[in-house]
Amino acid sequence: MLLSRLAERTFWLGRYVERAESLARALLAFEQIRLDIPGGEAPGWRELGPLAGIGRDAADALDPGALADLMILDRENPSSLRSAVHRARENLRRARSLLPFECWHTLNPLYLRLEAAGAALPPSEVGPLLGQVMAACHELGGQVEGGMMRDEGHAFLRLGVHLERADMVPRIVTAVADALIPLEHPFAYEDVRWMGLLRSVGAYGTYRRSHHARANFGSVLRLLLREASFPRSFAHALLQVGRELATLPRNGAAAAALRACWPAHVPNTRADLAVFADAVLPRLADLGAAIVASYFPPGDDDRDPGRAHCA
Amino acid sequence: MLANRTISKRVLPELFGDHSIKPVDGYTSRLSALLESLAPEDVARPKVVLLTPGVHNSAYFEHCYLAQHLGIDLVEGADLTVRDGRVYVRTIGGLERVDVIYRRVGDQYLDPQAGNPDSLLGCAGLMGAWRAGNVALANAPGAGVADDKLVYSYVPALVRYYLGEDPILPNVPTFRLFDEKERRHVLANMRSFVVKPANESGGQGVVVGSKASAGELDRCRAAVEQDPRNFVAQPIVNLSTAPTLCDEGVEPRHLDLRPFVLSGADTYVTRGGLTRVALRRGSLVVNSCQGGGSKDTFIVDGAGGP
């Protein structure tokens, strides 16, 4: 069976890669929409601060460039994009033997690219850099999809990816909606704003194909949170967590924690969304803790030796 | 050796097309079979692991590379635990029995109960499990005695004693400095000798007589007088050179060859090896921790070769 330490590393590899990719996508989508909205009405980065661990009050005190640098490049900020890539790399470094050989040659150059970036990023480099982060994460996903044995290591990697996705989607939707969608109807540049929200979780094309009418919170949240066949929805991510857990031994505690993550009621207004996020995020944290406690015991556990030479 | 070959094939594909260079790839399968053959009990599929000190060790890349090519788990001390004299590895399903440990952790650090009590790199009780025959360690603890350079001086005698024949490859003449006659000879002619500490590795403490300053020679002489058993001396061997790409262009640099030999029920020598090269002009020190580099080594298939 898979070593606990390697399971832990692949789980966190999955989480950090997914965090890097979804953070890069949200920031890139937001940056592009922000540039579409002229002058005084352009939204600031302030509401996005919490996605990279920066509270709104702290974000208020910073100019937009400094805030972007703090979210993207800051070494000290454990929730920055650079930190996510760095931690993904450190986890991969210790679990290389489980993954296709090429994965290292995808993630390491990305890490080196971010290391080479200075402390501040000229605006013209923000987009290309975020694009590189996403591209490397996609490449890694492809290498895993086409080259990794569907074994326990794969299950832990996917568990990490989907738990992180389930966690990031409500955070991103809340933050980007707060930044882009005004409280009062009607508002200017409505199409562009909804497009920004959908693109921040890569849902724009999907939404356009299934909804031809004007966007509204009800239909957008249904797609992003409840549509199980949309791969970046909250519901899809939770279902995948359940699927991977079902393949693992001793999954009782984690499965129970997963059941508690399903919301009683799916939001369809902005106010509902905040309630939903407040309720579900602590449950996801509990689920993460249950996985850690079940499979990644600290140094000296006292479990019984299993059958000698179990397969 | 294996990584060097991968790079050579990438940079010089024509060379491999035009000459019949023998592959080195068989090494890992041989090593894998050898490790499995060491399993203490008659198990169908022995569990083999590679024990590494971890990512902070300078050879971690090599450990990881080998584990990947051997298809075995790379473990750290904290992954292992000993219960009732048997070694287990912590898995997501509980503890799993380990049969063979290819250890890349030094003797002193293998077991805090037996060696260095502060070691976090090993596993408490490991030596007991090994003594009881419940787990195989490769290389066996104590095998490092072969690293003692004094042992080298006895190799021709060992060959004659065990095989009853003369060695095919001559030894570099090696002087045992605890022998008074040999010591006096060396100390009287220090300029013509290399003096090496018997138990160091990585080129540490090596004094090349022809290049050392008077002060270095005096210090070396004093150290030898104080503890003659701890040193050997050899005449300065002018290592071969090969063209080497340096900052200054292509230049000759001194090198030596490390073949890899697997010794179990039978013996296997790799078709290639690690050529170590001294990157400083004129230097004879090829050790990687002293700034030495490495080269791929080609064994060219001549007529009539197997």
Side-chain angles (χ1 to χ4, degrees), chain A residues 211-228:
Chain A
H211 298 77
H212 299 288
R214 266 194 174 169
N216 60 64
F217 263 115
S219 62
V220 168
L221 293 182
R222 244 193 331 276
L223 175 64
L224 301 186
L225 301 180
R226 216 167 71 181
E227 177 53 63

Side-chain angles (χ1 to χ4, degrees), chain B residues 179-190:
Chain B
D179 179 288
E180 199 181 328
K181 221 172 107 199
E182 296 192 9
R183 182 171 70 245
R184 258 189 281 132
H185 174 66
V186 169
L187 293 184
N189 300 284
M190 281 191 79

Side-chain angles (χ1 to χ4, degrees), chain B residues 32-139:
Chain B
S32 174
L34 184 140
L35 290 170
E36 290 195 2
S37 77
L38 300 176
E41 287 167 44
D42 192 20
V43 281
R45 283 204 61 193
K47 173 88 176 170
V48 183
V49 299
L50 194 161
L51 177 62
T52 173
V55 286
H56 301 295
N57 186 275
S58 64
Y60 180 75
F61 167 77
E62 185 189 327
H63 303 161
C64 194
Y65 190 92
L66 274 175
Q68 224 162 350
H69 285 266
L70 291 168
I72 61 178
D73 283 328
L74 182 64
V75 307
E76 295 174 19
D79 296 325
L80 298 175
T81 181
V82 174
R83 306 280 162 94
D84 303 325
R86 291 180 162 77
V87 183
Y88 296 87
V89 65
R90 297 173 210 278
T91 79
I92 55 165
L95 299 175
E96 194 177 329
R97 181 82 184 272
V98 174
D99 302 296
V100 181
I101 301 175
Y102 176 27
R103 52 103 179 190
R104 300 296 298 266
V105 168
D107 286 0
Q108 281 303 305
Y109 300 96
L110 274 177
D111 181 347
Q113 290 173 357
N116 184 340
D118 297 328
S119 173
L120 298 173
L121 304 178
C123 168
L126 190 57
M127 292 297 274
W130 176 65
R131 259 204 328 265
N134 291 330
V135 70
L137 292 175
N139 286 323

Side-chain angles (χ1 to χ4, degrees), chain B residues 144-151 195-201 204 228-232:
Chain B
V145 71
D147 271 343
D148 187 323
K149 292 185 177 68
L150 202 58
V151 171
V195 177
K196 298 175 172 179
N199 275 307
E200 294 288 345
S201 61
Q204 281 171 14
R229 162 62 182 86
N230 201 29
F231 293 90
V232 298

Side-chain angles (χ1 to χ4, degrees), chain B residues 259-304:
Chain B
F260 291 87
V261 179
L262 297 174
S263 180
D266 42 39
T267 301
Y268 168 75
V269 184
T270 49
R271 291 172 170 170
L274 184 69
T275 294
R276 303 187 299 170
V277 51
L279 292 177
R280 267 180 299 131
R281 182 180 296 166
S283 168
L284 295 172
V285 179
V286 295
N287 307 75
S288 64
C289 46
Q290 306 242 3
S294 73
K295 281 176 171 292
D296 192 10
T297 309
F298 305 137
I299 306 283
V300 180
D301 196 4

